Amino acid sequence: MNRGRRAAGALLAAALLLAGCSSGSGGENGEEQPGPGPGARTDDGKAAGLRGITLPSWNTGDYAGPDAAPYLRQIAATGARWVTFTPTWYQDGTTDAGMHTTAETAGDDALRHIIGLAHDTGLKVMLKPHVDLAKGGDRAGIRPSDPDAWFTAYERFITHYADIAATTKTEQLAVGTELAGTSRDGTRWSKVVRAVRTRYRGPLTYAANYDEYRAVPFWDDLDVIGIDAYWPLADRPTTDTARLRDAWKPITGELAAFSARHHRKILFTEAGYVSQRGTTTAPYSWTVSKSGGEEEQAAAYAALLTALDGKPWWAGVCWWMWDDWPDAGETPRRLAYTPHGKPAEKVLRQHWK
């Protein structure tokens, strides 16, 4: 999920205050991760049955804070078997030649700590490092004026996390997220993937946005195709699960063919819906409306799970996102992406338990 959308959520939160990492059928055996390799096939079980929820971090110490362990227990209680962590670096402008840490970047020790907690809780881990724009905006707009310098910096960034993934026995790593302004550069991205494989031996994916994945040329270098699945499903607010499930039919048909062409399964590296009226019209938006929409959120969860369940090419879903950290200043919880304590959590428990 893009930091620009997160920033928009914060603006909505302020306005309201002023105004007053699924496959339901995936069993434990299906979740086992075989060794890595660029020749992965659709039937080799990579990432099969991934049932996950993302726990992002907005500050250096979030992952080491007192809420980390309770959040992980709550995630596991939904029936999830995976959790995704998103350490984030920033660049100041879209054409900059590199990225850097800030006070919003998860500390390395905190990241190692929460990976250990996740494993102790019985959860597998996908590490999904992000690069965002420090002043907000869509990371898809990053188009460096010096690609060689940017990719050199990016390789340093992602191999840093490949090292952490290796030493913490993290089960899966995403080499990038929604970087549509660079992801057409297959030659440079293939070099990045090769560098990562020298550090980390687990399965690799890239998290392409739903409107980006067709243009990514380096899928064959990876083990599973990753898509952040924010397709609009309706042109007006609806809680009609059957209608939403039908909206998935043309999408799943296209994805099945894409998976077959590349001989890789497709993992929804992100999917999510705010609990706001109209969320099914723009799942990628933190600020669809100021009106609550918990039933619409739940209907969208149910539609995705029932529409995708049992598809042989589908590797599962990692929902965006669990509860925000205290004092994060984000969208009010009743309107946010979290399913926690809402009808959408009941949907998860029904499908995943």
Side-chain angles (χ1 to χ4, degrees), residues 22 24 34 39 44-46 55 107 114 119 131 151-152 195 202 208 211 250 260 282 311 319 322 343 352:
S22 92
D44 70 358
K46 282 191 185 298
L55 184 60
I114 202 168
H119 286 155
V131 172
F151 273 96
T152 296
D211 57 359
K311 302 292 186 187
W319 293 98
W322 200 243
W352 280 357

Side-chain angles (χ1 to χ4, degrees), residues 57-76:
S57 168
W58 309 129
N59 292 291
T60 298
D62 281 344
Y63 285 153
D67 296 284
Y71 282 172
L72 293 173
R73 290 194 294 269
Q74 293 162 7
I75 288 170

Side-chain angles (χ1 to χ4, degrees), residues 222-256:
L222 301 169
D223 301 301
V224 63
I225 295 166
I227 299 177
D228 289 357
Y230 294 107
W231 281 276
L233 301 176
D235 58 3
R236 60 181 62 88
T238 181
T239 59
D240 187 338
T241 301
R243 178 185 171 195
L244 295 171
R245 187 171 59 245
D246 286 344
W248 276 104
K249 289 180 179 178
I251 299 168
T252 58
E254 179 180 312
L255 293 179

Side-chain angles (χ1 to χ4, degrees), residues 126-189:
M126 178 162 67
L127 193 57
K128 186 166 165 284
H130 288 186
V131 172
D132 273 332
L133 293 165
K135 298 177 182 178
D138 193 338
R139 69 173 69 95
I142 294 174
R143 289 174 172 78
S145 56
D146 186 343
D148 285 335
W150 188 89
F151 273 96
T152 296
Y154 191 87
E155 185 175 311
R156 286 196 298 268
F157 155 77
I158 197 62
T159 54
H160 172 75
Y161 288 107
D163 287 339
I164 291 177
T167 58
T168 57
K169 301 189 186 320
T170 289
E171 284 81 3
Q172 185 157 281
L173 175 66
V175 299
T177 297
E178 297 177 358
L179 292 166
T182 70
S183 64
R184 291 175 182 265
D185 192 335
T187 299
R188 289 188 174 94
W189 270 102

Side-chain angles (χ1 to χ4, degrees), residues 246-320:
D246 286 344
W248 276 104
K249 289 180 179 178
I251 299 168
T252 58
E254 179 180 312
L255 293 179
F258 194 80
S259 171
R261 285 198 299 275
H262 289 277
H263 306 291
R264 277 146 181 80
K265 289 190 176 185
I266 294 175
L267 172 67
F268 285 178
T269 37
E270 287 183 25
Y273 305 89
V274 291
S275 48
Q276 297 171 25
R277 176 176 168 79
T279 187
T280 54
T281 70
Y284 46 79
S285 176
W286 294 73
T287 55
V288 178
S289 71
K290 298 180 181 179
S291 302
E294 289 187 358
E295 295 300 330
E296 187 170 355
Q297 180 192 45
Y301 267 64
L304 186 154
L305 291 168
T306 55
L308 277 295
D309 190 31
K311 302 292 186 187
W313 50 264
W314 191 53
V317 60
C318 196
W319 293 98
W320 184 276

